[in-house]
């Protein structure tokens, strides 16, 4: 294995192992936020404490890898963390306002941050 195979430059190439790690943590966080069904039970199961931990892991990974990622890797982790933080804040707001979690029968609201579409944040309601 050559040195170029072992280390990716800041060109734009992405290491699939890094992408898989980020996506694995993000998938767990989305499930814990109650935004997607749990992969095993296929039910919406909200656990905001666990979601907070998963998002913190991603933030830590973002901080520790700063300056060492390709452009695609940096965009992926930045966008993932921003999306999850916005949706986490929305879930906390809904929980505090109602005193309990949103009913599972209604689909979750998903917030798209401002960078995604070139306009301000928007909430997509099912």
């Amino acid at each position: 294995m050559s040195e170029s195979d072992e280390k990716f430059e800041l060109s734009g190439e992405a290491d699939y192992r890094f992408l898989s790690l980020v996506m694995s943590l993000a998938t767990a966080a989305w499930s814990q936020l109650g935004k997607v069904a749990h992969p095993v039970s296929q039910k919406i199961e909200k656990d905001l404490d666990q979601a907070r931990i998963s998002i913190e892991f991603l933030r830590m990974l973002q901080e520790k890898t700063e300056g060492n990622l390709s452009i695609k890797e940096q965009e992926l982790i930045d966008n993932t963390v921003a999306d999850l933080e916005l949706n986490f804040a929305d879930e906390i707001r809904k929980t505090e306002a109602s005193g309990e979690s949103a009913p599972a029968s209604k689909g979750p609201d998903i917030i798209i941050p401002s960078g995604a579409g070139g306009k301000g944040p928007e909430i997509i309601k099912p």
Side-chain angles (χ1 to χ4, degrees):
M1 191 184 279
S2 71
E3 187 176 320
S4 64
D5 291 336
E6 294 174 8
K7 184 177 180 183
F8 288 87
E9 300 293 324
L10 290 176
S11 63
E13 292 297 314
D15 185 336
Y16 74 92
R17 297 166 301 175
F18 180 79
L19 300 178
S20 295
L21 176 61
V22 171
M23 294 311 298
S24 177
L25 288 167
T27 300
W30 284 114
S31 177
Q32 293 155 351
L33 285 170
K35 300 291 186 175
V36 297
H38 188 276
V40 176
S41 69
Q42 296 302 311
K43 295 180 181 175
I44 299 291
E45 300 173 6
K46 191 183 299 187
D47 186 342
L48 295 181
D49 290 332
Q50 281 301 127
R52 181 188 316 265
I53 292 168
S54 295
I55 295 167
E56 284 298 322
F57 280 145
L58 282 164
R59 280 190 200 129
M60 182 268 308
L61 191 60
Q62 183 182 36
E63 291 169 10
K64 296 291 184 180
T65 59
E66 188 174 336
N68 294 313
L69 299 176
S70 71
I71 294 167
K72 289 180 183 179
E73 292 166 339
Q74 191 66 55
E75 286 176 356
L76 173 72
I77 197 160
D78 289 347
N79 292 337
T80 299
V81 169
D83 290 349
L84 287 167
E85 286 175 335
L86 282 170
N87 282 278
F88 179 79
D90 183 55
E91 287 303 314
I92 292 295
R93 178 191 54 79
K94 287 193 292 188
T95 300
E96 289 173 352
S98 69
E100 58 185 334
S101 60
S105 60
K106 176 190 170 285
D109 297 345
I110 297 178
I111 300 175
I112 306 299
S114 58
K119 53 185 176 182
E122 60 182 290
I123 298 176
I124 300 174
K125 298 202 180 265

